[in-house]
Amino acid sequence: MEEMGKDKLYLVSERALPEVLLQVVEAKKLLETKKVMTVGEAAEAVGISRSSFYKYKDEINYFHEDARGKTISFLLEMEDRQGLLSEVLKEVARYGVNILTIHQSIPVNGLASLSLSLQILNGLTDVTDMVASVEAIDGIRRMKILARE
């Protein structure tokens, strides 16, 4: 049974996605590449409302099939438990990525935020398994991919 608060990640073909989700991805690309400066401009350019953009923007990201040499940043919400950061770092290291930055917030109400920036090296082309294995660690409440470069 799925634990409360844990999101599952799915790899879905583009043709199976509702058009609005594809438009949100395109709007995010426009903003990332600075082709537009505001969410309103991005939403208008791809033909969706700003509310649709905000509703889905944190839930869908473009997946890079070939992630080698890319930098990926994650945000994790994790329980304040001794050794949990070490478990996360060991799991990430198991996939042969290079850890570029680590920042953990001071825990509030038993939860801390951890941001990690990782460089994907030549041996790993698909980060899906790594993400799933980190999310499966006991004490990880949520994991979100913030950026890919």
Side-chain angles (χ1 to χ4, degrees):
M1 180 169 206
E2 186 178 345
E3 193 175 319
M4 291 295 292
K6 291 247 185 185
D7 286 335
K8 289 184 178 179
L9 296 178
Y10 296 90
L11 185 58
V12 179
S13 170
E14 177 180 17
R15 63 182 174 270
L17 290 174
E19 185 66 25
V20 67
L21 295 179
L22 298 172
Q23 291 166 309
V24 168
V25 170
E26 287 305 312
K28 288 173 68 170
K29 284 181 186 176
L30 290 173
L31 289 164
E32 288 170 7
T33 59
K34 307 280 192 240
K35 291 183 178 175
V36 297
M37 298 309 291
T38 68
V39 169
E41 290 172 334
E44 184 177 338
V46 299
I48 59 173
S49 66
R50 287 184 330 128
S51 63
S52 291
F53 177 84
Y54 284 115
K55 180 177 181 178
Y56 298 115
K57 73 176 180 70
D58 293 331
E59 304 305 325
I60 186 161
N61 291 295
Y62 180 73
F63 179 78
H64 294 280
E65 286 184 18
D66 183 6
R68 284 175 290 173
K70 305 285 186 191
T71 300
I72 299 180
S73 297
F74 297 96
L75 180 65
L76 288 87
E77 183 179 279
M78 51 196 277
E79 295 172 4
D80 180 24
R81 180 169 55 80
Q82 184 177 359
L84 185 54
L85 175 59
S86 177
E87 287 179 52
V88 169
L89 296 178
K90 283 178 187 174
E91 190 61 27
V92 167
R94 195 168 72 83
Y95 286 87
V97 300
N98 185 27
I99 298 171
L100 299 173
T101 64
I102 302 170
H103 180 267
Q104 184 175 350
S105 69
I106 295 173
V108 175
N109 297 326
L111 294 176
S113 293
L114 173 69
S115 64
L116 283 175
S117 292
L118 310 172
Q119 182 182 31
I120 307 303
L121 301 175
N122 290 337
L124 179 66
T125 58
D126 184 350
V127 298
T128 306
D129 289 339
M130 181 184 67
V131 170
S133 67
V134 171
E135 278 190 312
I137 296 171
D138 184 39
I140 301 299
R141 296 279 183 92
R142 184 172 185 221
M143 183 171 181
K144 178 180 168 185
I145 299 173
L146 295 177
R148 294 181 189 95
E149 299 172 13

